[in-house]
Amino acid sequence: MKLSILLVSAMLIAGVFSQSQKATTNRPSLHQRKASFLQRSKPRQNPNSPLPQGKRVEYVYCDPRSPPNCVKNLNETFCLKDVDYPEKDIKYYIEYDPLVSKKHADVAAQSADNLVDGVTSLEEKHFDYSLYNGSPFSRGNWVGGDGYVCPSDVLYVRPKRALNVEGEWRVIVQDNYTQTQRFETCLFPGASCRTIAPCYRTKCVQKYIYQRMLSYDPCDVTKGLFIDIFKFPSTCSCHIPKRFY
């Protein structure tokens, strides 16, 4: 009798242990929970993925080389506003990534006061190029308001999306971790420089700079947050070519 009771008890214990093992085995992995969290309301399977539930998940916008909805002009390489910005995903990954504070750095308060010698932010804000039209022989080349020799548009901004150096669009992390940039774009690229005689054959040239920014790939969520490289407009400079006599 005692032997029978022991055998029944052992079988019950083995059954409970087996069920516990199955429950543990069926528990979704961190990757599965992460993918489930990030899927949109209407996800579509990527046709290029060999697995039915592969790591690469296609959303409404998925081709990394295709311009996102925030791009209004095909020549644009960044977006300052983005109604489709994946704020929930970014918040999730910031919380998920223990090294995010080591990947991020920013000087939030940027202006001419700390980036341009001899010019205040108030002066730069009121530069006036309204009389200049790019022609070295026009009156506007010699008269006009205060400003740079090469008229430019200066912005201190926090881009939401940008085209990386490999031609793929990335989401830029702009949450509690901001990333501020100074963009200076020529208003008349290739035009002559203001207040300089036409005989010098000057021209305004656009300069760029490579910037490293904390980014997110909406077409491959498994990458998490990572550092990517972008090319941004930095300066509009006056170029004086070699003179020919």
Side-chain angles (χ1 to χ4, degrees):
M1 184 68 178
K2 290 182 180 181
L3 181 61
S4 300
I5 292 173
L6 289 174
L7 287 173
V8 170
S9 300
M11 291 174 64
L12 289 173
I13 292 172
V16 170
F17 181 74
S18 175
Q19 289 180 358
S20 175
Q21 271 194 326
K22 288 181 180 179
T24 302
T25 304
N26 294 330
R27 182 180 300 171
S29 67
L30 180 60
H31 168 71
Q32 291 171 327
R33 283 181 285 150
K34 182 168 61 176
S36 175
F37 177 87
L38 294 173
Q39 283 181 349
R40 303 292 193 271
S41 58
K42 294 181 180 180
R44 299 175 300 181
Q45 186 63 39
N46 182 0
N48 296 324
S49 177
L51 300 176
Q53 294 183 350
K55 292 184 178 181
R56 191 175 178 87
V57 179
E58 182 180 1
Y59 302 123
V60 175
Y61 155 62
C62 184
D63 181 4
R65 294 187 176 274
S66 177
N69 293 329
C70 60
V71 172
K72 306 305 179 186
N73 186 322
L74 292 179
N75 293 325
E76 293 179 359
T77 59
F78 58 86
C79 293
L80 301 181
K81 295 181 180 180
D82 182 12
V83 295
D84 299 322
Y85 188 78
E87 183 177 354
K88 186 179 293 186
D89 296 4
I90 297 299
K91 287 182 181 294
Y92 175 85
Y93 271 106
I94 288 176
E95 183 178 355
Y96 171 78
D97 190 346
L99 299 177
V100 66
S101 61
K102 299 184 183 298
K103 300 176 184 177
H104 171 268
D106 186 34
V107 177
Q110 297 186 26
S111 70
D113 294 334
N114 54 18
L115 291 177
V116 183
D117 288 343
V119 176
T120 67
S121 58
L122 186 61
E123 289 173 330
E124 187 179 62
K125 183 179 180 180
H126 290 92
F127 282 171
D128 182 12
Y129 307 112
S130 59
L131 297 178
Y132 182 76
N133 62 9
S135 171
F137 301 101
S138 68
R139 180 172 175 269
N141 186 61
W142 306 102
V143 298
D146 189 16
Y148 297 122
V149 173
C150 281
S152 61
D153 184 27
V154 179
L155 299 173
Y156 298 88
V157 294
R158 294 168 181 168
K160 295 295 187 71
R161 291 189 196 245
L163 191 69
N164 71 4
V165 294
E166 308 218 339
E168 297 186 347
W169 283 89
R170 299 285 188 252
V171 172
I172 308 299
V173 174
Q174 300 286 9
D175 193 74
N176 294 331
Y177 293 90
T178 60
Q179 299 184 91
T180 311
Q181 297 291 337
R182 181 187 189 274
F183 294 165
E184 182 177 346
T185 308
C186 291
L187 292 178
F188 300 91
S192 62
C193 310
R194 289 197 316 157
T195 70
I196 298 180
C199 61
Y200 287 99
R201 292 178 293 178
T202 62
K203 64 178 179 179
C204 294
V205 295
Q206 180 69 58
K207 290 184 178 180
Y208 297 87
I209 189 172
Y210 290 116
Q211 294 282 15
R212 294 162 56 87
M213 302 187 76
L214 188 60
S215 311
Y216 167 73
D217 184 356
C219 290
D220 192 348
V221 299
T222 60
K223 292 179 181 177
L225 302 183
F226 56 93
I227 301 296
D228 211 338
I229 302 176
F230 303 88
K231 179 182 175 182
F232 292 135
S234 63
T235 312
C236 185
S237 295
C238 180
H239 175 247
I240 302 177
K242 181 179 178 180
R243 296 183 63 184
F244 294 90
Y245 295 93

